[in-house]
Coordinates of all heavy atoms in Angstrom, one line a residue:
M1 N 94.3 92.7 91.4 CA 94.2 94.0 91.2 C 94.7 94.4 89.8 O 95.6 93.6 89.3 CB 94.9 94.9 92.2 CG 94.4 96.3 92.4 SD 92.7 96.2 92.9 CE 92.2 97.8 93.1
K2 N 94.3 95.4 89.1 CA 94.6 95.6 87.8 C 96.1 96.1 87.8 O 96.5 96.8 88.7 CB 93.7 96.7 87.2 CG 92.4 96.3 87.0 CD 91.6 97.4 86.3 CE 90.2 97.0 86.0 NZ 89.4 98.0 85.3
K3 N 96.7 96.0 86.6 CA 98.0 96.4 86.5 C 98.0 97.8 85.9 O 97.0 98.2 85.5 CB 98.8 95.5 85.5 CG 99.2 94.2 86.1 CD 99.9 93.4 85.0 CE 100.2 92.1 85.5 NZ 100.8 91.0 84.6
K4 N 99.1 98.6 86.1 CA 99.2 100.1 85.6 C 98.5 100.3 84.4 O 97.6 101.1 84.1 CB 100.6 100.5 85.7 CG 100.8 101.9 85.2 CD 102.1 102.5 85.4 CE 103.2 101.7 84.6 NZ 104.5 102.3 84.7
Q5 N 98.9 99.6 83.2 CA 98.4 99.8 81.9 C 97.0 99.4 81.7 O 96.3 99.7 80.7 CB 99.3 99.1 81.0 CG 99.3 97.6 80.9 CD 100.4 97.1 81.9 OE1 101.0 97.7 82.8 NE2 100.7 95.7 81.7
E6 N 96.3 98.8 82.7 CA 95.0 98.3 82.5 C 94.0 99.4 83.0 O 92.8 99.3 82.8 CB 94.7 97.0 83.3 CG 95.4 95.9 82.7 CD 95.2 94.5 83.5 OE1 95.1 94.6 84.7 OE2 95.2 93.5 82.9
F7 N 94.5 100.3 83.7 CA 93.6 101.5 84.3 C 93.4 102.5 83.1 O 94.4 102.7 82.3 CB 94.4 102.2 85.4 CG 94.3 101.6 86.7 CD1 95.3 100.8 87.2 CD2 93.0 101.6 87.5 CE1 95.2 100.0 88.3 CE2 93.0 100.9 88.6 CZ 94.0 100.1 89.2
D8 N 92.3 103.0 82.9 CA 92.0 103.8 81.9 C 92.1 105.5 82.4 O 91.2 106.0 82.5 CB 90.5 103.7 81.3 CG 90.3 104.5 80.1 OD1 91.1 104.8 79.3 OD2 89.0 104.7 79.9
Y9 N 93.4 105.7 82.5 CA 93.8 107.1 82.9 C 94.9 107.5 82.0 O 96.1 107.4 82.3 CB 94.2 107.1 84.5 CG 93.1 106.8 85.3 CD1 92.9 105.5 85.9 CD2 92.2 107.8 85.7 CE1 91.9 105.2 86.8 CE2 91.1 107.5 86.5 CZ 91.0 106.3 87.1 OH 89.9 106.0 87.8
P10 N 94.6 108.0 80.9 CA 95.5 108.4 79.8 C 96.6 109.3 80.3 O 97.9 109.1 79.9 CB 94.7 109.1 78.7 CG 93.3 108.9 79.1 CD 93.2 108.3 80.4
R11 N 96.3 110.4 81.0 CA 97.5 111.2 81.5 C 98.3 110.6 82.4 O 99.7 110.8 82.4 CB 96.8 112.5 82.2 CG 95.9 113.3 81.2 CD 96.8 113.8 80.1 NE 96.0 114.6 79.2 CZ 96.3 115.3 78.1 NH1 97.5 115.3 77.7 NH2 95.4 116.0 77.3
I12 N 97.9 109.8 83.4 CA 98.7 109.1 84.3 C 99.6 108.1 83.5 O 100.7 108.0 83.8 CB 97.8 108.3 85.5 CG1 97.3 109.5 86.4 CG2 98.6 107.3 86.1 CD1 96.3 109.0 87.3
N13 N 98.9 107.3 82.7 CA 99.8 106.4 81.8 C 100.7 107.1 81.0 O 101.9 106.5 80.8 CB 98.8 105.6 81.0 CG 97.9 104.6 81.8 OD1 98.3 104.3 82.9 ND2 96.7 104.3 81.2
Q14 N 100.4 108.3 80.4 CA 101.4 109.1 79.6 C 102.6 109.4 80.4 O 103.7 109.4 79.8 CB 100.6 110.3 79.1 CG 101.5 111.3 78.3 CD 100.7 112.4 77.8 OE1 99.5 112.7 78.2 NE2 101.4 113.5 77.3
L15 N 102.4 109.7 81.6 CA 103.7 110.0 82.5 C 104.3 108.8 83.0 O 105.5 109.0 83.5 CB 103.2 110.9 83.6 CG 102.8 112.3 83.3 CD1 102.2 113.1 84.6 CD2 103.9 113.2 82.7
G16 N 103.7 107.6 82.9 CA 104.4 106.4 83.4 C 104.3 106.3 84.9 O 105.2 105.6 85.4
L17 N 103.3 106.9 85.6 CA 103.3 106.8 87.0 C 102.8 105.4 87.4 O 102.0 104.8 86.7 CB 102.2 107.9 87.4 CG 102.6 109.3 87.2 CD1 101.4 110.2 87.5 CD2 103.8 109.7 88.1
T18 N 103.3 105.0 88.5 CA 103.0 103.8 89.2 C 101.7 103.9 89.9 O 101.6 104.9 90.8 CB 104.0 103.4 90.1 OG1 105.3 103.2 89.4 CG2 103.6 102.1 90.8
I19 N 100.6 103.2 89.7 CA 99.3 103.2 90.4 C 99.5 102.2 91.6 O 99.8 101.1 91.4 CB 98.3 102.8 89.4 CG1 98.2 104.0 88.3 CG2 97.0 102.7 90.2 CD1 97.2 103.6 87.2
I20 N 99.3 102.9 92.7 CA 99.5 102.0 93.9 C 98.2 101.4 94.4 O 97.1 102.0 94.4 CB 99.9 103.0 95.1 CG1 101.2 103.7 94.8 CG2 100.1 102.2 96.4 CD1 101.6 105.0 95.6
T21 N 98.3 100.1 94.5 CA 97.2 99.2 94.8 C 97.4 98.4 96.0 O 97.1 97.1 96.1 CB 96.7 98.5 93.6 OG1 97.7 97.6 93.1 CG2 96.2 99.4 92.6
K22 N 98.4 98.8 96.9 CA 98.7 97.9 98.1 C 97.5 97.4 98.8 O 97.6 96.2 99.3 CB 99.7 98.7 98.9 CG 101.1 98.8 98.4 CD 101.9 99.7 99.3 CE 103.3 99.9 98.7 NZ 104.1 100.7 99.4
N23 N 96.5 98.3 99.1 CA 95.4 97.7 99.8 C 94.3 97.7 98.8 O 93.8 98.7 98.3 CB 94.9 98.8 100.9 CG 93.7 98.4 101.6 OD1 93.0 97.5 101.2 ND2 93.5 99.1 102.8
P24 N 93.7 96.4 98.5 CA 92.9 96.3 97.5 C 91.4 96.7 97.8 O 90.6 96.9 96.9 CB 92.8 94.8 97.3 CG 93.3 94.2 98.6 CD 94.3 95.2 99.0
H25 N 91.3 97.1 99.2 CA 90.0 97.7 99.5 C 89.9 99.2 99.5 O 88.8 99.7 99.8 CB 89.6 97.2 101.0 CG 89.7 95.6 101.1 ND1 88.7 94.8 100.5 CD2 90.6 94.7 101.7 CE1 89.0 93.6 100.6 NE2 90.0 93.5 101.4
A26 N 91.1 99.7 99.3 CA 91.1 101.2 99.1 C 91.2 101.6 97.7 O 91.5 100.8 96.9 CB 92.4 101.7 99.9
I27 N 90.9 102.9 97.4 CA 90.9 103.5 96.1 C 92.3 103.6 95.7 O 93.2 104.0 96.4 CB 90.3 104.9 96.1 CG1 88.8 104.9 96.4 CG2 90.5 105.6 94.9 CD1 88.2 106.2 96.7
P28 N 92.7 103.2 94.4 CA 94.0 103.1 93.8 C 94.6 104.6 94.0 O 93.8 105.6 93.8 CB 93.9 102.8 92.4 CG 92.7 101.8 92.4 CD 91.7 102.6 93.4
G29 N 95.8 104.7 94.1 CA 96.5 106.1 94.4 C 97.8 106.3 93.6 O 98.2 105.3 93.0
I30 N 98.3 107.5 93.7 CA 99.5 107.9 93.2 C 100.4 108.6 94.3 O 100.0 109.2 95.1 CB 99.3 109.0 92.1 CG1 98.5 108.4 91.1 CG2 100.5 109.5 91.5 CD1 99.0 107.4 90.1
N31 N 101.7 108.2 94.1 CA 102.6 108.8 95.2 C 103.1 110.2 94.6 O 103.4 110.4 93.5 CB 103.8 107.9 95.2 CG 104.9 108.4 96.2 OD1 105.5 109.4 95.9 ND2 105.2 107.6 97.1
F32 N 102.9 111.3 95.5 CA 103.2 112.7 95.2 C 104.6 112.8 94.8 O 105.0 113.6 94.0 CB 102.8 113.5 96.3 CG 101.4 113.9 96.4 CD1 100.6 113.6 97.4 CD2 100.9 114.6 95.4 CE1 99.2 114.0 97.5 CE2 99.5 115.0 95.3 CZ 98.7 114.6 96.5
K33 N 105.5 112.0 95.6 CA 107.0 112.2 95.3 C 107.3 111.7 93.9 O 108.0 112.5 93.1 CB 107.8 111.4 96.3 CG 109.2 111.6 96.1 CD 110.0 111.0 97.2 CE 111.5 111.1 97.0 NZ 112.3 110.4 98.1
E34 N 106.8 110.6 93.4 CA 107.0 110.2 92.0 C 106.4 111.1 91.0 O 107.0 111.4 89.9 CB 106.4 108.8 91.8 CG 106.6 108.2 90.5 CD 105.8 107.0 90.2 OE1 105.0 106.5 90.9 OE2 106.2 106.4 89.1
L35 N 105.2 111.6 91.4 CA 104.5 112.5 90.4 C 105.4 113.9 90.3 O 105.6 114.4 89.1 CB 103.1 113.0 91.1 CG 102.3 113.9 90.3 CD1 102.1 113.4 88.8 CD2 101.0 114.3 90.9
A36 N 105.9 114.4 91.4 CA 106.7 115.6 91.3 C 107.8 115.4 90.4 O 108.4 116.3 89.6 CB 107.0 116.0 92.8
E37 N 108.5 114.2 90.6 CA 109.8 113.8 89.8 C 109.5 113.7 88.4 O 110.2 114.3 87.6 CB 110.3 112.5 90.3 CG 111.0 112.5 91.7 CD 111.4 111.3 92.2 OE1 111.1 110.2 91.6 OE2 112.0 111.2 93.4
K38 N 108.3 113.2 88.0 CA 107.9 113.1 86.6 C 107.5 114.4 86.0 O 107.8 114.7 84.8 CB 106.8 112.1 86.4 CG 107.0 110.6 87.0 CD 107.6 109.9 85.8 CE 107.8 108.4 86.4 NZ 108.2 107.5 85.3
L39 N 106.8 115.2 86.6 CA 106.4 116.6 86.2 C 107.5 117.6 86.2 O 107.5 118.5 85.4 CB 105.4 117.2 87.1 CG 104.0 116.4 86.9 CD1 103.0 117.1 88.0 CD2 103.4 116.6 85.5
G40 N 108.5 117.5 87.1 CA 109.6 118.6 87.2 C 109.0 119.6 88.1 O 107.9 119.7 88.5
E41 N 110.1 120.5 88.6 CA 109.6 121.5 89.6 C 108.5 122.5 89.1 O 107.7 122.7 89.9 CB 111.0 122.2 89.9 CG 110.7 123.2 91.2 CD 112.1 123.9 91.5 OE1 113.1 123.5 91.1 OE2 112.0 124.9 92.2
E42 N 108.7 123.0 88.1 CA 107.7 124.1 87.5 C 106.3 123.5 87.4 O 105.3 124.1 88.0 CB 108.2 124.6 86.2 CG 107.3 125.9 85.8 CD 107.8 126.5 84.5 OE1 109.0 126.7 84.3 OE2 106.9 127.0 83.7
K43 N 106.2 122.5 86.6 CA 104.8 121.9 86.4 C 104.3 121.3 87.8 O 103.1 121.2 88.1 CB 104.8 120.8 85.4 CG 104.9 121.4 84.0 CD 104.8 120.4 83.0 CE 104.9 120.9 81.6 NZ 104.9 119.8 80.5
S44 N 105.2 120.8 88.6 CA 104.8 120.3 89.9 C 104.0 121.3 90.7 O 103.1 121.0 91.6 CB 106.0 119.6 90.8 OG 105.6 119.0 91.9
K45 N 104.5 122.6 90.7 CA 104.1 123.7 91.5 C 102.6 124.0 90.9 O 101.7 124.3 91.8 CB 104.9 124.9 91.5 CG 106.1 124.9 92.2 CD 107.1 126.1 92.1 CE 108.3 125.8 92.9 NZ 109.2 127.1 92.7
I46 N 102.5 124.0 89.7 CA 101.1 124.2 89.0 C 100.2 123.1 89.5 O 99.1 123.3 89.8 CB 101.3 124.3 87.4 CG1 102.1 125.4 87.0 CG2 99.9 124.2 86.8 CD1 102.5 125.5 85.6
F47 N 100.6 121.9 89.4 CA 99.8 120.8 89.8 C 99.4 121.0 91.3 O 98.1 120.7 91.5 CB 100.5 119.4 89.7 CG 99.7 118.2 90.1 CD1 98.9 117.6 89.3 CD2 99.8 117.8 91.6 CE1 98.1 116.5 89.8 CE2 99.0 116.8 91.9 CZ 98.1 116.1 91.0
N48 N 100.3 121.3 92.1 CA 99.9 121.4 93.6 C 98.9 122.6 93.7 O 98.1 122.4 94.5 CB 101.1 121.7 94.4 CG 102.1 120.5 94.5 OD1 101.6 119.4 94.4 ND2 103.3 120.7 94.7
D49 N 99.0 123.7 93.0 CA 98.0 124.8 93.0 C 96.6 124.3 92.6 O 95.7 124.5 93.2 CB 98.4 125.9 92.2 CG 99.6 126.7 92.9 OD1 99.9 126.6 94.0 OD2 100.3 127.5 92.0
L50 N 96.6 123.6 91.5 CA 95.3 123.1 91.1 C 94.8 121.9 91.8 O 93.6 121.8 92.0 CB 95.5 122.5 89.6 CG 95.8 123.6 88.5 CD1 96.1 122.9 87.3 CD2 94.6 124.6 88.4
Y51 N 95.5 121.1 92.4 CA 95.1 119.8 93.2 C 94.5 120.5 94.5 O 93.5 119.8 94.9 CB 96.2 119.0 93.4 CG 95.9 117.6 94.1 CD1 95.4 116.6 93.1 CD2 95.9 117.3 95.4 CE1 95.0 115.4 93.6 CE2 95.6 116.1 95.9 CZ 95.1 115.1 95.0 OH 94.7 114.0 95.4
G52 N 95.1 121.4 95.2 CA 94.5 121.9 96.4 C 94.4 121.0 97.5 O 95.4 120.2 97.8
C53 N 93.3 120.8 98.0 CA 93.0 119.9 99.2 C 92.2 118.7 98.8 O 91.3 118.4 99.6 CB 92.5 120.7 100.4 SG 90.9 121.4 100.0
Q54 N 92.5 118.1 97.7 CA 91.8 116.8 97.4 C 92.1 115.7 98.3 O 93.0 115.8 99.1 CB 92.3 116.4 95.9 CG 92.1 117.5 94.8 CD 90.6 117.6 94.5 OE1 89.7 116.8 94.7 NE2 90.3 118.8 93.8
T55 N 91.4 114.7 98.2 CA 91.4 113.6 99.2 C 92.6 112.6 98.9 O 92.9 112.4 97.6 CB 90.2 112.9 99.3 OG1 89.7 112.6 98.0 CG2 89.1 113.7 100.0
C56 N 93.1 112.1 99.9 CA 94.2 111.0 99.8 C 93.7 109.7 100.6 O 93.0 110.0 101.5 CB 95.5 111.5 100.2 SG 96.1 112.8 99.2
G57 N 94.1 108.7 100.2 CA 93.8 107.5 101.0 C 95.1 106.6 101.3 O 96.2 107.1 101.2
E58 N 94.8 105.5 101.7 CA 95.9 104.5 102.1 C 96.9 104.4 100.9 O 98.1 104.0 101.2 CB 95.3 103.3 102.4 CG 95.0 103.1 103.8 CD 94.5 101.7 104.3 OE1 95.4 100.8 104.1 OE2 93.4 101.5 104.5
N59 N 96.4 104.5 99.7 CA 97.2 104.1 98.6 C 97.8 105.4 97.9 O 98.4 105.4 96.9 CB 96.4 103.4 97.4 CG 96.2 101.9 97.8 OD1 97.0 101.4 98.4 ND2 95.0 101.5 97.4
G60 N 97.6 106.5 98.5 CA 98.2 107.8 98.1 C 97.0 108.7 97.5 O 95.8 108.6 97.8
A61 N 97.4 109.7 96.7 CA 96.4 110.6 96.2 C 95.4 109.9 95.2 O 96.0 109.0 94.4 CB 97.2 111.7 95.4
Y62 N 94.2 110.2 95.4 CA 93.2 109.3 94.7 C 93.5 109.6 93.1 O 93.7 110.6 92.7 CB 91.7 109.8 94.9 CG 91.2 109.5 96.4 CD1 90.1 109.9 96.7 CD2 92.0 108.5 97.1 CE1 89.5 109.6 98.0 CE2 91.5 108.1 98.3 CZ 90.3 108.7 98.7 OH 89.8 108.2 100.0
I63 N 93.4 108.4 92.4 CA 93.8 108.3 91.1 C 92.9 109.2 90.2 O 93.5 109.8 89.4 CB 93.7 106.9 90.7 CG1 94.5 106.7 89.3 CG2 92.4 106.2 90.6 CD1 94.8 105.2 88.9
Y64 N 91.7 109.2 90.5 CA 90.7 110.0 89.6 C 90.9 111.5 89.8 O 90.8 112.3 88.8 CB 89.3 109.6 89.8 CG 88.8 109.4 91.2 CD1 88.6 110.5 92.1 CD2 88.7 108.1 91.6 CE1 88.1 110.3 93.3 CE2 88.2 108.0 93.0 CZ 88.0 109.0 93.9 OH 87.6 108.8 95.1
D65 N 91.4 111.9 91.0 CA 91.7 113.4 91.3 C 92.9 113.8 90.5 O 93.0 114.9 89.9 CB 91.7 113.6 92.8 CG 90.5 113.6 93.4 OD1 89.4 113.8 92.9 OD2 90.5 113.3 94.7
V66 N 93.9 112.9 90.7 CA 95.2 113.2 90.0 C 95.0 113.3 88.3 O 95.3 114.2 87.8 CB 96.2 112.2 90.3 CG1 97.5 112.3 89.4 CG2 96.7 112.2 91.7
E67 N 94.2 112.3 87.8 CA 93.9 112.3 86.4 C 93.2 113.6 86.1 O 93.5 114.2 85.0 CB 93.2 111.1 86.1 CG 92.8 111.0 84.6 CD 94.0 110.7 83.6 OE1 95.0 110.3 84.1 OE2 93.9 111.0 82.4
A68 N 92.3 114.0 86.8 CA 91.5 115.3 86.5 C 92.4 116.4 86.4 O 92.2 117.3 85.5 CB 90.4 115.5 87.4
V69 N 93.3 116.6 87.4 CA 94.2 117.7 87.5 C 95.1 117.7 86.3 O 95.4 118.7 85.7 CB 94.9 117.8 88.9 CG1 95.9 119.0 88.8 CG2 93.9 118.1 89.8
L70 N 95.7 116.5 86.0 CA 96.7 116.4 84.9 C 95.9 116.7 83.7 O 96.5 117.4 82.7 CB 97.2 115.0 84.8 CG 98.2 114.6 85.9 CD1 98.6 113.2 85.9 CD2 99.4 115.5 85.9
E71 N 94.6 116.2 83.4 CA 93.9 116.6 82.2 C 93.8 118.1 82.1 O 93.9 118.7 81.0 CB 92.6 115.9 82.2 CG 91.8 116.1 81.2 CD 92.4 115.7 79.7 OE1 93.2 114.7 79.6 OE2 92.0 116.3 78.6
R72 N 93.4 118.8 83.2 CA 93.2 120.0 83.1 C 94.6 120.9 82.9 O 94.6 121.8 82.0 CB 92.7 120.6 84.5 CG 92.5 122.1 84.6 CD 91.8 122.5 85.9 NE 91.4 123.9 85.8 CZ 91.1 124.7 86.8 NH1 91.1 124.1 88.1 NH2 90.8 125.9 86.7
M73 N 95.6 120.4 83.4 CA 96.9 121.1 83.1 C 97.3 120.9 81.6 O 97.8 121.9 81.1 CB 98.0 120.3 83.9 CG 98.1 120.7 85.4 SD 99.3 119.9 86.3 CE 100.9 120.4 85.5
F74 N 97.2 119.7 81.1 CA 97.7 119.5 79.8 C 96.7 119.9 78.6 O 97.2 120.1 77.6 CB 98.1 118.0 79.6 CG 99.3 117.6 80.5 CD1 99.2 116.5 81.3 CD2 100.5 118.3 80.5 CE1 100.3 116.1 82.2 CE2 101.5 118.0 81.3 CZ 101.4 116.8 82.1
S75 N 95.5 119.9 79.0 CA 94.5 120.2 78.0 C 93.8 121.6 78.0 O 93.4 122.1 77.2 CB 93.5 119.1 77.9 OG 92.5 119.4 78.9
G76 N 93.9 122.2 79.3 CA 93.3 123.5 79.5 C 91.8 123.3 79.8 O 91.1 124.2 80.0
K77 N 91.2 122.1 79.6 CA 89.8 121.8 80.0 C 89.5 121.8 81.5 O 90.4 121.3 82.2 CB 89.3 120.4 79.3 CG 89.4 120.5 77.8 CD 88.8 119.2 77.3 CE 89.5 118.0 77.7 NZ 89.0 116.8 77.0
L78 N 88.3 122.3 81.8 CA 87.9 122.1 83.2 C 87.3 120.7 83.4 O 86.6 120.2 82.4 CB 86.8 123.1 83.5 CG 87.2 124.6 83.5 CD1 86.0 125.5 83.9 CD2 88.4 124.8 84.5
T79 N 87.5 120.1 84.5 CA 87.0 118.7 84.7 C 86.3 118.6 85.9 O 86.5 119.5 87.0 CB 88.1 117.7 84.6 OG1 89.2 118.1 85.6 CG2 88.9 117.8 83.3
G80 N 85.4 117.7 86.1 CA 84.8 117.3 87.2 C 84.0 118.5 88.0 O 83.4 119.2 87.3
T81 N 84.3 118.7 89.2 CA 83.7 119.8 90.0 C 84.2 121.1 89.5 O 83.5 122.1 89.8 CB 83.9 119.6 91.5 OG1 85.2 119.6 91.9 CG2 83.0 118.4 92.1
Q82 N 85.3 121.1 89.0 CA 85.9 122.4 88.5 C 85.0 123.1 87.5 O 85.0 124.3 87.2 CB 87.3 122.2 87.8 CG 88.2 121.7 88.8 CD 89.4 121.0 88.2 OE1 89.4 120.6 87.0 NE2 90.5 120.8 88.9
L83 N 84.2 122.3 86.8 CA 83.1 122.8 85.8 C 82.2 123.8 86.5 O 81.6 124.6 85.9 CB 82.4 121.7 85.1 CG 83.1 120.8 84.2 CD1 82.5 119.6 83.9 CD2 83.6 121.6 83.0
F84 N 81.9 123.4 87.8 CA 81.0 124.2 88.5 C 81.6 125.3 89.5 O 80.9 126.3 89.7 CB 80.0 123.3 89.3 CG 79.3 122.3 88.5 CD1 79.8 120.9 88.6 CD2 78.2 122.6 87.8 CE1 79.2 120.0 87.7 CE2 77.7 121.6 87.0 CZ 78.2 120.3 87.1
L85 N 82.7 125.0 89.9 CA 83.4 125.9 90.9 C 84.4 126.9 90.4 O 84.4 128.1 91.0 CB 84.2 125.0 91.9 CG 83.5 124.1 92.7 CD1 84.3 123.2 93.6 CD2 82.3 124.7 93.5
D86 N 84.8 126.8 89.2 CA 85.7 127.9 88.6 C 85.0 128.8 87.8 O 83.9 128.6 87.2 CB 86.8 127.1 87.8 CG 87.8 126.3 88.6 OD1 87.7 126.5 89.8 OD2 88.7 125.9 88.1

């Protein structure tokens, strides 16, 4: 499986988050506790509001969902389905 720096997720890499790949058959994920610690209390609340009820798997919160919300938080851009739903 790829190492953290080999994934092309700039916001996740910028925060230095560990990408979980324990189960190689599942989608890579992010641990919410580690994410909350890296973001701090205020930004963590914003993240949770934007993340809503996205999907999670065996490896944690789906990496591409986390990246999309982080991109939206830091850049102000709408991403993914948010382009159509917001």
Side-chain angles (χ1 to χ4, degrees):
M1 204 63 179
K2 294 181 176 183
K3 294 180 183 173
K4 175 173 63 173
Q5 63 272 18
E6 293 176 329
F7 284 98
D8 188 25
Y9 294 100
R11 298 297 181 174
I12 288 172
N13 292 335
Q14 178 183 353
L15 288 174
L17 294 168
T18 303
I19 295 172
I20 302 167
T21 58
K22 289 180 184 175
N23 180 346
H25 303 290
I27 295 169
I30 299 293
N31 180 293
F32 275 118
K33 185 175 179 179
E34 179 189 12
L35 177 62
E37 290 171 359
K38 299 275 184 167
L39 288 176
E41 188 175 340
E42 186 178 320
K43 286 185 179 177
S44 184
K45 288 179 184 178
I46 294 169
F47 178 89
N48 291 337
D49 287 342
L50 293 173
Y51 193 79
C53 59
Q54 303 287 341
T55 50
C56 296
E58 275 186 62
N59 290 324
Y62 287 173
I63 192 170
Y64 44 76
D65 290 336
V66 172
E67 179 69 17
V69 173
L70 291 173
E71 179 62 28
R72 184 175 184 191
M73 283 177 63
F74 294 126
S75 72
K77 292 189 290 186
L78 296 182
T79 58
T81 57
Q82 297 159 345
L83 292 169
F84 302 103
L85 300 177
D86 288 358

